[in-house]
Amino acid sequence: MTEYHVAKNGGLINPGTKAQPFLNIQQAAEIAQAGDTVTVHSGEYREWVRPRQAGLSEFRPVTYQVAAGEQVVIKGSEQITGWEPVSGTVYKKVIANEFFGDFNPFKETIWGDWMTETSRTAHLGEVYLNGRAMYEATDLAGVTEPVLRETVEEFFVFVEVAERYPERLKYTWFAEVTETTTTIYANFQETDPAQALVEINVRPACFYPETNGMDYITVRGFEICHGACKWAPPSGDQPGMIGPRWSRGWIIEDNQIHDAKCSAISLGKVAESGDNYYSRRKDKPGYTYQLESVFTAEDQGWSRERIGSHILRRNHIYDCGQNGIVGHLGCVFSKIYDNHIHDISMKREYRGWEIAGIKLHAAIDVEIANNQIHDCSCGTWLDWQTQGTRISRNLYYDNGLDFFVEVSHGPYLVDNNLFVSRFALRNFSQGGAYVNNLIAGNIDWADVRDRATPYHLKHSTKVKGYAVVYGGDDRWYNNLFIGRPDAAAVGTANYNGHPTSLAAFIDEVQSFGPVDVEKFQEVKEPVYINDNIYLQGAAAFDKEAHSLTIATFDPQLSVQREGERVVLKLTLPEEFTRQQAALRGTANLMRTRLTDAEFENPDGSSLVIDTDLVGASFGNVCGPLQQLTAGANEVVIWG
């Protein structure tokens, strides 16, 4: 096992020792083998690192790390000088296209399946002024006379969070690309570009393999930024600024990752299983092509033994256009925890459906735990085939929408989370269990009868069947619901009219005599709801046997960032401590109806939900913090 060194005082013909280090990280990536370590020393590395060899196991990875106590940044950008004044604060730079090679991000548009923007064209290019991304204008007038845009209200990106940076909107750029040159116009306002750091992105990735099967690679301690990575829909190729491509066993930890044009970290699929066929062919809906990609990937070896099982932990991810973390198929069996994710899709330069702090399709046996996610258009969006996944002990606040589960059949477990944005949850699925959460925002429910999606054998990628979403088969226990005047529906009253057991559901279906599909579609699915608290207008399920409702009580809820800390303030009524919650887990969460599976750990063992948001043991208290009590509470929930 060899340790290679990379440093800014290195050389292109050096052997990569500490005394004679490589100059570029890619020099080490060309030769590092399983068990080797690449240690990178302080400096700025403008390159796309493409590992050539894989590790062999979690015990023999190829490790890329920053030297202890040093700072390393990998950039997908290049510094641009020699800006020519045009008029006032507007400058231009004419660049020969040879500078970009075979990839010019200022020529490449952001396009693909599930894009919804039709009124403007955005490009992969970006201009950064002193490290901060500027805004692309749609024409030269948007540079010479920039104006503050109106906020956009679309889908779950609501007015309250659609525009965070009004002062930054005056820093605009526009590019004209001909066969030979690219001319970039930029309005730097009060800044003289000759006295500033001006950069443009030129590489589609910063740390991303060119081939599949680059297993067991660890990337630790880097700052990674300025990738011109493309739109990453679930039915297309999904590259990120950093990611494992189509492989197994990566660890991405302790990195600062920011300013990806689209997605920062990709755990996604590749073009071999389908690449934007709806946008290219237009003959079938994207839904159909996405469904085909699942079966195509299965034929190509999509399995636990070959794909997924990645670990993403303790990363700081921010200021990205589409996603902090994206994945379809390639994210299976992965763990995502202790990350801080914010300011994702807040510039609103382009729009589409596949946008969130974490956006995963086919999240099978994925653990999403102890992450802080705020100031995102959507915090976390799990779409299709969410099965065996656990979303636990996360902080969601100041998002357009906190959490969305779509067209999945479970089982999936959502426990001990904080959902306190105005729009807290969107549940377009079935087979979920929501236990010991604090929910203080609007909840949307819907069945989905026009799109059948797959479900799987337990703890496997093997497709077992497929079904539509009937809207039910959910479990809600020990949650603390807090209504608010600007939220239409908080609580569980949407389930009124549902039976409360599988036996009652079967009896009602069979009461019609021998039946087939039609009665299963007409009879509401069972739900399991008990031991919840409803305050300030939150409404309870009409068959909930044991609950506490105080409609007029104002808990004075607030979540505040104080430096690196996040503090929850909450006042609770005297009756709070008299509402005792029961311990929940595999033994009493009931199996899911369609997938016929239990709520259990990924290894098949029984689970018990016995640890709260901050790691305290369960003590029969509703909500995500077992230390909550009647009266005023102030709890440090992060930092």
Side-chain angles (χ1 to χ4, degrees), residues 152-208:
V152 177
E153 181 173 347
E154 185 222 4
F155 196 28
F156 48 73
V157 184
F158 296 96
V159 171
E160 290 88 337
V161 295
E163 193 54 77
R164 294 293 193 192
Y165 314 109
E167 287 304 308
R168 287 170 56 178
L169 288 171
K170 62 185 182 180
Y171 297 94
T172 57
W173 64 267
F174 175 72
E176 294 177 341
V177 181
T178 69
E179 290 186 3
T180 58
T181 63
T182 296
T183 302
I184 303 174
Y185 297 87
N187 193 327
F188 296 117
Q189 296 296 330
E190 69 282 355
T191 303
D192 179 357
Q195 306 299 318
L197 174 62
V198 181
E199 301 161 288
I200 64 171
N201 61 2
V202 298
R203 285 173 280 275
C206 292
F207 203 114
Y208 194 80

Short mmCIF file of all heavy atoms in Angstrom, two decimals, residues 152-208:
data_model
loop_
_atom_site.label_atom_id
_atom_site.label_comp_id
_atom_site.label_asym_id
_atom_site.label_seq_id
_atom_site.Cartn_x
_atom_site.Cartn_y
_atom_site.Cartn_z
N VAL A 152 -40.92 33.75 -8.33
CA VAL A 152 -41.63 32.71 -9.08
C VAL A 152 -42.36 31.80 -8.11
O VAL A 152 -41.77 31.32 -7.15
CB VAL A 152 -40.65 31.88 -9.93
CG1 VAL A 152 -41.39 30.76 -10.65
CG2 VAL A 152 -39.95 32.77 -10.94
N GLU A 153 -43.64 31.61 -8.33
CA GLU A 153 -44.39 30.64 -7.53
C GLU A 153 -44.76 29.48 -8.44
O GLU A 153 -45.56 29.63 -9.35
CB GLU A 153 -45.65 31.26 -6.92
CG GLU A 153 -46.42 30.25 -6.08
CD GLU A 153 -47.57 30.87 -5.33
OE1 GLU A 153 -47.63 32.11 -5.27
OE2 GLU A 153 -48.41 30.14 -4.82
N GLU A 154 -44.16 28.33 -8.20
CA GLU A 154 -44.42 27.17 -9.05
C GLU A 154 -44.26 25.91 -8.22
O GLU A 154 -43.26 25.73 -7.53
CB GLU A 154 -43.44 27.14 -10.22
CG GLU A 154 -43.73 26.02 -11.20
CD GLU A 154 -42.44 25.35 -11.66
OE1 GLU A 154 -41.38 25.71 -11.16
OE2 GLU A 154 -42.54 24.45 -12.49
N PHE A 155 -45.26 25.07 -8.28
CA PHE A 155 -45.24 23.78 -7.57
C PHE A 155 -44.98 24.02 -6.10
O PHE A 155 -45.77 24.65 -5.41
CB PHE A 155 -44.22 22.87 -8.22
CG PHE A 155 -44.36 21.43 -7.85
CD1 PHE A 155 -45.60 20.90 -7.50
CD2 PHE A 155 -43.27 20.60 -7.85
CE1 PHE A 155 -45.73 19.57 -7.16
CE2 PHE A 155 -43.39 19.26 -7.51
CZ PHE A 155 -44.63 18.75 -7.16
N PHE A 156 -43.87 23.54 -5.54
CA PHE A 156 -43.63 23.73 -4.12
C PHE A 156 -42.65 24.86 -3.86
O PHE A 156 -42.16 25.02 -2.75
CB PHE A 156 -43.11 22.45 -3.48
CG PHE A 156 -42.00 21.79 -4.24
CD1 PHE A 156 -40.73 22.33 -4.24
CD2 PHE A 156 -42.22 20.64 -4.94
CE1 PHE A 156 -39.71 21.73 -4.93
CE2 PHE A 156 -41.20 20.02 -5.64
CZ PHE A 156 -39.94 20.57 -5.64
N VAL A 157 -42.28 25.66 -4.85
CA VAL A 157 -41.37 26.78 -4.62
C VAL A 157 -42.23 28.01 -4.39
O VAL A 157 -42.68 28.65 -5.32
CB VAL A 157 -40.42 26.98 -5.81
CG1 VAL A 157 -39.42 28.09 -5.51
CG2 VAL A 157 -39.69 25.69 -6.12
N PHE A 158 -42.48 28.31 -3.14
CA PHE A 158 -43.45 29.33 -2.81
C PHE A 158 -42.80 30.69 -2.61
O PHE A 158 -41.59 30.82 -2.45
CB PHE A 158 -44.22 28.91 -1.56
CG PHE A 158 -45.02 27.65 -1.79
CD1 PHE A 158 -44.53 26.41 -1.43
CD2 PHE A 158 -46.26 27.70 -2.41
CE1 PHE A 158 -45.24 25.25 -1.66
CE2 PHE A 158 -46.98 26.55 -2.65
CZ PHE A 158 -46.47 25.33 -2.27
N VAL A 159 -43.62 31.70 -2.63
CA VAL A 159 -43.13 33.08 -2.65
C VAL A 159 -42.19 33.37 -1.48
O VAL A 159 -41.20 34.07 -1.63
CB VAL A 159 -44.33 34.06 -2.63
CG1 VAL A 159 -43.84 35.48 -2.44
CG2 VAL A 159 -45.12 33.94 -3.92
N GLU A 160 -42.48 32.77 -0.32
CA GLU A 160 -41.68 33.11 0.86
C GLU A 160 -40.20 32.79 0.69
O GLU A 160 -39.35 33.43 1.31
CB GLU A 160 -42.19 32.35 2.10
CG GLU A 160 -43.54 32.82 2.59
CD GLU A 160 -44.67 32.08 1.90
OE1 GLU A 160 -44.48 31.55 0.80
OE2 GLU A 160 -45.75 32.03 2.48
N VAL A 161 -39.86 31.79 -0.13
CA VAL A 161 -38.46 31.40 -0.26
C VAL A 161 -37.95 31.46 -1.69
O VAL A 161 -36.82 31.09 -1.95
CB VAL A 161 -38.25 29.96 0.29
CG1 VAL A 161 -38.52 29.90 1.76
CG2 VAL A 161 -39.10 28.96 -0.48
N ALA A 162 -38.77 31.92 -2.61
CA ALA A 162 -38.37 31.87 -4.01
C ALA A 162 -37.24 32.84 -4.34
O ALA A 162 -36.51 32.63 -5.29
CB ALA A 162 -39.57 32.14 -4.91
N GLU A 163 -37.10 33.89 -3.57
CA GLU A 163 -36.04 34.85 -3.86
C GLU A 163 -35.32 35.24 -2.57
O GLU A 163 -35.84 35.94 -1.74
CB GLU A 163 -36.63 36.10 -4.52
CG GLU A 163 -35.56 36.98 -5.12
CD GLU A 163 -34.71 36.17 -6.06
OE1 GLU A 163 -35.16 35.91 -7.19
OE2 GLU A 163 -33.60 35.80 -5.66
N ARG A 164 -34.09 34.72 -2.40
CA ARG A 164 -33.32 35.01 -1.20
C ARG A 164 -32.27 36.08 -1.44
O ARG A 164 -31.71 36.60 -0.49
CB ARG A 164 -32.61 33.73 -0.72
CG ARG A 164 -33.55 32.63 -0.24
CD ARG A 164 -34.28 33.02 1.03
NE ARG A 164 -34.92 31.86 1.63
CZ ARG A 164 -35.81 31.91 2.60
NH1 ARG A 164 -36.17 33.10 3.08
NH2 ARG A 164 -36.34 30.82 3.10
N TYR A 165 -31.96 36.36 -2.69
CA TYR A 165 -30.78 37.18 -2.96
C TYR A 165 -31.10 38.38 -3.84
O TYR A 165 -30.53 38.54 -4.91
CB TYR A 165 -29.72 36.33 -3.66
CG TYR A 165 -29.51 34.98 -3.04
CD1 TYR A 165 -29.93 33.83 -3.70
CD2 TYR A 165 -28.88 34.85 -1.81
CE1 TYR A 165 -29.73 32.59 -3.14
CE2 TYR A 165 -28.68 33.61 -1.26
CZ TYR A 165 -29.10 32.47 -1.92
OH TYR A 165 -28.91 31.25 -1.36
N PRO A 166 -31.99 39.28 -3.45
CA PRO A 166 -32.34 40.39 -4.35
C PRO A 166 -31.15 41.27 -4.71
O PRO A 166 -31.06 41.75 -5.84
CB PRO A 166 -33.39 41.16 -3.55
CG PRO A 166 -33.20 40.75 -2.13
CD PRO A 166 -32.73 39.34 -2.18
N GLU A 167 -30.20 41.48 -3.81
CA GLU A 167 -29.07 42.33 -4.12
C GLU A 167 -28.10 41.68 -5.11
O GLU A 167 -27.40 42.36 -5.85
CB GLU A 167 -28.33 42.70 -2.83
CG GLU A 167 -29.06 43.70 -1.97
CD GLU A 167 -29.38 44.97 -2.74
OE1 GLU A 167 -28.47 45.56 -3.35
OE2 GLU A 167 -30.56 45.37 -2.75
N ARG A 168 -28.07 40.34 -5.12
CA ARG A 168 -27.16 39.66 -6.03
C ARG A 168 -27.67 39.67 -7.47
O ARG A 168 -26.92 39.42 -8.40
CB ARG A 168 -26.95 38.21 -5.58
CG ARG A 168 -26.08 38.11 -4.33
CD ARG A 168 -26.08 36.73 -3.74
NE ARG A 168 -25.66 35.71 -4.68
CZ ARG A 168 -25.54 34.42 -4.35
NH1 ARG A 168 -25.80 34.04 -3.12
NH2 ARG A 168 -25.17 33.52 -5.25
N LEU A 169 -28.95 39.97 -7.67
CA LEU A 169 -29.53 39.91 -9.01
C LEU A 169 -28.96 40.97 -9.94
O LEU A 169 -29.08 40.85 -11.17
CB LEU A 169 -31.04 40.06 -8.93
CG LEU A 169 -31.79 38.86 -8.37
CD1 LEU A 169 -33.24 39.21 -8.13
CD2 LEU A 169 -31.69 37.68 -9.31
N LYS A 170 -28.34 41.98 -9.41
CA LYS A 170 -27.80 43.02 -10.28
C LYS A 170 -26.46 42.61 -10.90
O LYS A 170 -26.00 43.24 -11.85
CB LYS A 170 -27.64 44.34 -9.51
CG LYS A 170 -26.68 44.27 -8.32
CD LYS A 170 -26.68 45.58 -7.55
CE LYS A 170 -25.69 45.55 -6.38
NZ LYS A 170 -25.70 46.81 -5.62
N TYR A 171 -25.86 41.54 -10.39
CA TYR A 171 -24.60 41.04 -10.95
C TYR A 171 -24.96 40.00 -12.02
O TYR A 171 -25.21 38.84 -11.73
CB TYR A 171 -23.74 40.41 -9.87
CG TYR A 171 -23.31 41.38 -8.80
CD1 TYR A 171 -24.05 41.52 -7.62
CD2 TYR A 171 -22.18 42.19 -8.97
CE1 TYR A 171 -23.67 42.42 -6.64
CE2 TYR A 171 -21.79 43.08 -7.99
CZ TYR A 171 -22.55 43.20 -6.83
OH TYR A 171 -22.16 44.10 -5.86
N THR A 172 -25.00 40.41 -13.28
CA THR A 172 -25.50 39.56 -14.34
C THR A 172 -24.45 39.36 -15.43
O THR A 172 -23.51 40.16 -15.57
CB THR A 172 -26.76 40.17 -14.98
OG1 THR A 172 -26.46 41.48 -15.45
CG2 THR A 172 -27.89 40.24 -13.97
N TRP A 173 -24.65 38.28 -16.19
CA TRP A 173 -23.78 38.01 -17.34
C TRP A 173 -24.60 37.46 -18.50
O TRP A 173 -25.70 36.94 -18.30
CB TRP A 173 -22.64 37.04 -16.98
CG TRP A 173 -23.09 35.66 -16.59
CD1 TRP A 173 -23.34 35.22 -15.32
CD2 TRP A 173 -23.34 34.55 -17.46
NE1 TRP A 173 -23.74 33.90 -15.35
CE2 TRP A 173 -23.73 33.46 -16.64
CE3 TRP A 173 -23.27 34.36 -18.84
CZ2 TRP A 173 -24.07 32.22 -17.18
CZ3 TRP A 173 -23.60 33.11 -19.37
CH2 TRP A 173 -23.99 32.07 -18.54
N PHE A 174 -24.05 37.57 -19.69
CA PHE A 174 -24.67 37.02 -20.89
C PHE A 174 -23.57 36.64 -21.86
O PHE A 174 -22.55 37.33 -21.96
CB PHE A 174 -25.61 38.07 -21.53
CG PHE A 174 -26.21 37.63 -22.84
CD1 PHE A 174 -27.19 36.66 -22.86
CD2 PHE A 174 -25.77 38.17 -24.05
CE1 PHE A 174 -27.75 36.24 -24.06
CE2 PHE A 174 -26.33 37.76 -25.26
CZ PHE A 174 -27.32 36.79 -25.26
N ALA A 175 -23.73 35.51 -22.55
CA ALA A 175 -22.70 35.03 -23.47
C ALA A 175 -23.23 34.92 -24.89
O ALA A 175 -24.37 34.49 -25.11
CB ALA A 175 -22.18 33.68 -23.00
N GLU A 176 -22.41 35.30 -25.83
CA GLU A 176 -22.67 35.10 -27.25
C GLU A 176 -21.62 34.14 -27.79
O GLU A 176 -20.41 34.41 -27.69
CB GLU A 176 -22.61 36.43 -28.01
CG GLU A 176 -23.71 37.41 -27.62
CD GLU A 176 -23.58 38.74 -28.35
OE1 GLU A 176 -22.47 39.04 -28.85
OE2 GLU A 176 -24.57 39.50 -28.41
N VAL A 177 -22.06 33.03 -28.36
CA VAL A 177 -21.14 32.00 -28.84
C VAL A 177 -21.25 31.90 -30.35
O VAL A 177 -22.35 31.71 -30.90
CB VAL A 177 -21.45 30.64 -28.20
CG1 VAL A 177 -20.48 29.57 -28.70
CG2 VAL A 177 -21.41 30.73 -26.68
N THR A 178 -20.11 32.06 -31.03
CA THR A 178 -20.04 31.85 -32.47
C THR A 178 -19.22 30.60 -32.75
O THR A 178 -18.82 29.88 -31.82
CB THR A 178 -19.39 33.06 -33.17
OG1 THR A 178 -17.99 33.11 -32.83
CG2 THR A 178 -20.07 34.35 -32.75
N GLU A 179 -18.95 30.33 -34.02
CA GLU A 179 -18.16 29.15 -34.36
C GLU A 179 -16.74 29.24 -33.83
O GLU A 179 -16.10 28.22 -33.59
CB GLU A 179 -18.13 28.96 -35.88
CG GLU A 179 -19.47 28.53 -36.47
CD GLU A 179 -19.35 28.22 -37.94
OE1 GLU A 179 -18.22 28.28 -38.48
OE2 GLU A 179 -20.39 27.91 -38.56
N THR A 180 -16.23 30.44 -33.62
CA THR A 180 -14.83 30.60 -33.24
C THR A 180 -14.61 31.22 -31.87
O THR A 180 -13.56 31.00 -31.26
CB THR A 180 -14.09 31.47 -34.28
OG1 THR A 180 -14.75 32.75 -34.38
CG2 THR A 180 -14.09 30.78 -35.64
N THR A 181 -15.56 31.99 -31.37
CA THR A 181 -15.34 32.70 -30.11
C THR A 181 -16.55 32.62 -29.19
O THR A 181 -17.68 32.40 -29.63
CB THR A 181 -15.02 34.19 -30.36
OG1 THR A 181 -16.15 34.81 -30.97
CG2 THR A 181 -13.78 34.35 -31.22
N THR A 182 -16.27 32.84 -27.93
CA THR A 182 -17.31 33.03 -26.92
C THR A 182 -17.07 34.38 -26.27
O THR A 182 -16.00 34.62 -25.69
CB THR A 182 -17.26 31.91 -25.86
OG1 THR A 182 -17.56 30.66 -26.48
CG2 THR A 182 -18.24 32.18 -24.74
N THR A 183 -18.05 35.26 -26.38
CA THR A 183 -17.93 36.59 -25.77
C THR A 183 -18.85 36.65 -24.56
O THR A 183 -20.06 36.44 -24.68
CB THR A 183 -18.31 37.69 -26.77
OG1 THR A 183 -17.46 37.60 -27.92
CG2 THR A 183 -18.15 39.06 -26.13
N ILE A 184 -18.27 36.93 -23.41
CA ILE A 184 -19.03 37.01 -22.17
C ILE A 184 -19.12 38.48 -21.76
O ILE A 184 -18.09 39.16 -21.61
CB ILE A 184 -18.38 36.18 -21.05
CG1 ILE A 184 -18.25 34.72 -21.49
CG2 ILE A 184 -19.20 36.28 -19.76
CD1 ILE A 184 -17.49 33.86 -20.49
N TYR A 185 -20.34 38.95 -21.59
CA TYR A 185 -20.58 40.28 -21.05
C TYR A 185 -20.97 40.13 -19.58
O TYR A 185 -21.78 39.27 -19.24
CB TYR A 185 -21.71 40.97 -21.81
CG TYR A 185 -21.42 41.21 -23.27
CD1 TYR A 185 -21.70 40.22 -24.22
CD2 TYR A 185 -20.86 42.41 -23.71
CE1 TYR A 185 -21.45 40.43 -25.57
CE2 TYR A 185 -20.61 42.63 -25.06
CZ TYR A 185 -20.89 41.63 -25.98
OH TYR A 185 -20.63 41.83 -27.32
N ALA A 186 -20.45 41.00 -18.74
CA ALA A 186 -20.74 40.89 -17.31
C ALA A 186 -20.87 42.27 -16.69
O ALA A 186 -20.08 43.18 -17.01
CB ALA A 186 -19.66 40.10 -16.60
N ASN A 187 -21.85 42.42 -15.82
CA ASN A 187 -22.02 43.65 -15.07
C ASN A 187 -21.50 43.41 -13.65
O ASN A 187 -22.15 42.76 -12.84
CB ASN A 187 -23.50 44.07 -15.03
CG ASN A 187 -23.69 45.48 -14.55
OD1 ASN A 187 -22.93 45.95 -13.70
ND2 ASN A 187 -24.70 46.16 -15.07
N PHE A 188 -20.33 43.93 -13.38
CA PHE A 188 -19.68 43.72 -12.09
C PHE A 188 -20.06 44.79 -11.07
O PHE A 188 -19.51 44.82 -9.97
CB PHE A 188 -18.16 43.69 -12.27
CG PHE A 188 -17.67 42.54 -13.12
CD1 PHE A 188 -17.02 42.78 -14.32
CD2 PHE A 188 -17.87 41.24 -12.71
CE1 PHE A 188 -16.56 41.73 -15.10
CE2 PHE A 188 -17.41 40.18 -13.48
CZ PHE A 188 -16.75 40.42 -14.68
N GLN A 189 -20.93 45.72 -11.45
CA GLN A 189 -21.37 46.80 -10.58
C GLN A 189 -20.17 47.59 -10.04
O GLN A 189 -19.35 48.05 -10.81
CB GLN A 189 -22.27 46.24 -9.47
CG GLN A 189 -23.56 45.63 -10.00
CD GLN A 189 -24.47 46.64 -10.68
OE1 GLN A 189 -24.49 47.82 -10.35
NE2 GLN A 189 -25.24 46.17 -11.67
N GLU A 190 -20.05 47.71 -8.72
CA GLU A 190 -19.02 48.57 -8.16
C GLU A 190 -17.63 47.93 -8.16
O GLU A 190 -16.63 48.57 -7.81
CB GLU A 190 -19.39 48.95 -6.71
CG GLU A 190 -19.33 47.81 -5.71
CD GLU A 190 -20.53 46.87 -5.77
OE1 GLU A 190 -21.48 47.13 -6.52
OE2 GLU A 190 -20.49 45.87 -5.02
N THR A 191 -17.54 46.66 -8.56
CA THR A 191 -16.28 45.93 -8.49
C THR A 191 -15.48 46.09 -9.78
O THR A 191 -16.02 45.92 -10.88
CB THR A 191 -16.54 44.44 -8.25
OG1 THR A 191 -17.30 44.29 -7.05
CG2 THR A 191 -15.23 43.68 -8.12
N ASP A 192 -14.21 46.40 -9.66
CA ASP A 192 -13.29 46.46 -10.79
C ASP A 192 -12.75 45.05 -11.03
O ASP A 192 -12.05 44.50 -10.17
CB ASP A 192 -12.15 47.42 -10.49
CG ASP A 192 -11.14 47.52 -11.63
OD1 ASP A 192 -11.30 46.80 -12.64
OD2 ASP A 192 -10.18 48.31 -11.49
N PRO A 193 -13.07 44.41 -12.18
CA PRO A 193 -12.62 43.04 -12.38
C PRO A 193 -11.10 42.89 -12.39
O PRO A 193 -10.59 41.78 -12.13
CB PRO A 193 -13.23 42.67 -13.74
CG PRO A 193 -13.49 43.96 -14.43
CD PRO A 193 -13.83 44.92 -13.34
N ALA A 194 -10.38 43.97 -12.67
CA ALA A 194 -8.92 43.89 -12.63
C ALA A 194 -8.40 43.73 -11.21
O ALA A 194 -7.27 43.27 -11.00
CB ALA A 194 -8.32 45.13 -13.29
N GLN A 195 -9.23 44.12 -10.25
CA GLN A 195 -8.84 44.01 -8.85
C GLN A 195 -9.58 42.88 -8.13
O GLN A 195 -9.52 42.80 -6.89
CB GLN A 195 -9.13 45.34 -8.13
CG GLN A 195 -8.51 46.55 -8.79
CD GLN A 195 -6.99 46.47 -8.83
OE1 GLN A 195 -6.37 46.06 -7.85
NE2 GLN A 195 -6.39 46.84 -9.95
N ALA A 196 -10.27 42.04 -8.88
CA ALA A 196 -11.10 40.99 -8.27
C ALA A 196 -10.73 39.64 -8.87
O ALA A 196 -10.01 39.55 -9.87
CB ALA A 196 -12.58 41.29 -8.52
N LEU A 197 -11.26 38.60 -8.24
CA LEU A 197 -11.12 37.25 -8.77
C LEU A 197 -12.36 36.95 -9.60
O LEU A 197 -13.47 36.84 -9.07
CB LEU A 197 -10.99 36.23 -7.63
CG LEU A 197 -10.98 34.75 -8.06
CD1 LEU A 197 -9.79 34.44 -8.96
CD2 LEU A 197 -10.99 33.84 -6.83
N VAL A 198 -12.17 36.83 -10.91
CA VAL A 198 -13.27 36.49 -11.82
C VAL A 198 -12.96 35.12 -12.43
O VAL A 198 -11.88 34.92 -13.00
CB VAL A 198 -13.45 37.54 -12.92
CG1 VAL A 198 -14.63 37.15 -13.81
CG2 VAL A 198 -13.67 38.92 -12.32
N GLU A 199 -13.92 34.20 -12.30
CA GLU A 199 -13.73 32.84 -12.80
C GLU A 199 -14.93 32.43 -13.64
O GLU A 199 -16.03 32.95 -13.45
CB GLU A 199 -13.56 31.86 -11.64
CG GLU A 199 -12.41 32.16 -10.71
CD GLU A 199 -12.54 31.49 -9.36
OE1 GLU A 199 -13.41 31.94 -8.58
OE2 GLU A 199 -11.80 30.54 -9.09
N ILE A 200 -14.72 31.49 -14.55
CA ILE A 200 -15.83 30.89 -15.30
C ILE A 200 -15.67 29.38 -15.23
O ILE A 200 -14.56 28.85 -15.20
CB ILE A 200 -15.87 31.36 -16.78
CG1 ILE A 200 -14.62 30.90 -17.53
CG2 ILE A 200 -16.03 32.88 -16.85
CD1 ILE A 200 -14.69 31.14 -19.03
N ASN A 201 -16.79 28.67 -15.16
CA ASN A 201 -16.69 27.21 -15.12
C ASN A 201 -16.41 26.67 -16.51
O ASN A 201 -16.91 27.17 -17.52
CB ASN A 201 -17.94 26.58 -14.51
CG ASN A 201 -19.21 26.87 -15.28
OD1 ASN A 201 -19.19 27.52 -16.32
ND2 ASN A 201 -20.33 26.39 -14.77
N VAL A 202 -15.58 25.64 -16.58
CA VAL A 202 -15.16 25.08 -17.87
C VAL A 202 -15.20 23.56 -17.88
O VAL A 202 -15.08 22.96 -18.95
CB VAL A 202 -13.74 25.55 -18.25
CG1 VAL A 202 -13.69 27.06 -18.40
CG2 VAL A 202 -12.72 25.10 -17.22
N ARG A 203 -15.36 22.92 -16.72
CA ARG A 203 -15.33 21.45 -16.65
C ARG A 203 -16.69 20.93 -16.17
O ARG A 203 -17.30 21.51 -15.28
CB ARG A 203 -14.22 20.98 -15.70
CG ARG A 203 -12.82 21.12 -16.31
CD ARG A 203 -11.73 20.80 -15.30
NE ARG A 203 -11.47 21.93 -14.43
CZ ARG A 203 -10.64 22.94 -14.72
NH1 ARG A 203 -10.02 22.96 -15.87
NH2 ARG A 203 -10.46 23.93 -13.86
N PRO A 204 -17.14 19.81 -16.75
CA PRO A 204 -18.44 19.26 -16.35
C PRO A 204 -18.44 18.60 -14.99
O PRO A 204 -19.52 18.30 -14.47
CB PRO A 204 -18.73 18.25 -17.46
CG PRO A 204 -17.39 17.83 -17.95
CD PRO A 204 -16.52 19.04 -17.84
N ALA A 205 -17.29 18.34 -14.41
CA ALA A 205 -17.21 17.69 -13.11
C ALA A 205 -15.88 18.05 -12.47
O ALA A 205 -14.97 18.56 -13.12
CB ALA A 205 -17.35 16.17 -13.26
N CYS A 206 -15.78 17.75 -11.18
CA CYS A 206 -14.54 17.97 -10.45
C CYS A 206 -13.92 16.65 -9.96
O CYS A 206 -12.69 16.52 -9.91
CB CYS A 206 -14.77 18.88 -9.25
SG CYS A 206 -15.20 20.58 -9.70
N PHE A 207 -14.76 15.70 -9.58
CA PHE A 207 -14.25 14.40 -9.12
C PHE A 207 -15.30 13.35 -9.51
O PHE A 207 -16.26 13.11 -8.77
CB PHE A 207 -14.05 14.41 -7.60
CG PHE A 207 -13.06 13.37 -7.12
CD1 PHE A 207 -11.86 13.75 -6.56
CD2 PHE A 207 -13.34 12.02 -7.25
CE1 PHE A 207 -10.95 12.79 -6.12
CE2 PHE A 207 -12.44 11.06 -6.81
CZ PHE A 207 -11.24 11.44 -6.25
N TYR A 208 -15.13 12.77 -10.68
CA TYR A 208 -16.17 11.90 -11.22
C TYR A 208 -15.53 10.96 -12.25
O TYR A 208 -14.88 11.42 -13.19
CB TYR A 208 -17.26 12.75 -11.89
CG TYR A 208 -18.54 12.01 -12.20
CD1 TYR A 208 -19.49 11.79 -11.20
CD2 TYR A 208 -18.81 11.57 -13.48
CE1 TYR A 208 -20.68 11.14 -11.49
CE2 TYR A 208 -20.00 10.91 -13.78
CZ TYR A 208 -20.93 10.70 -12.78
OH TYR A 208 -22.11 10.05 -13.07
#
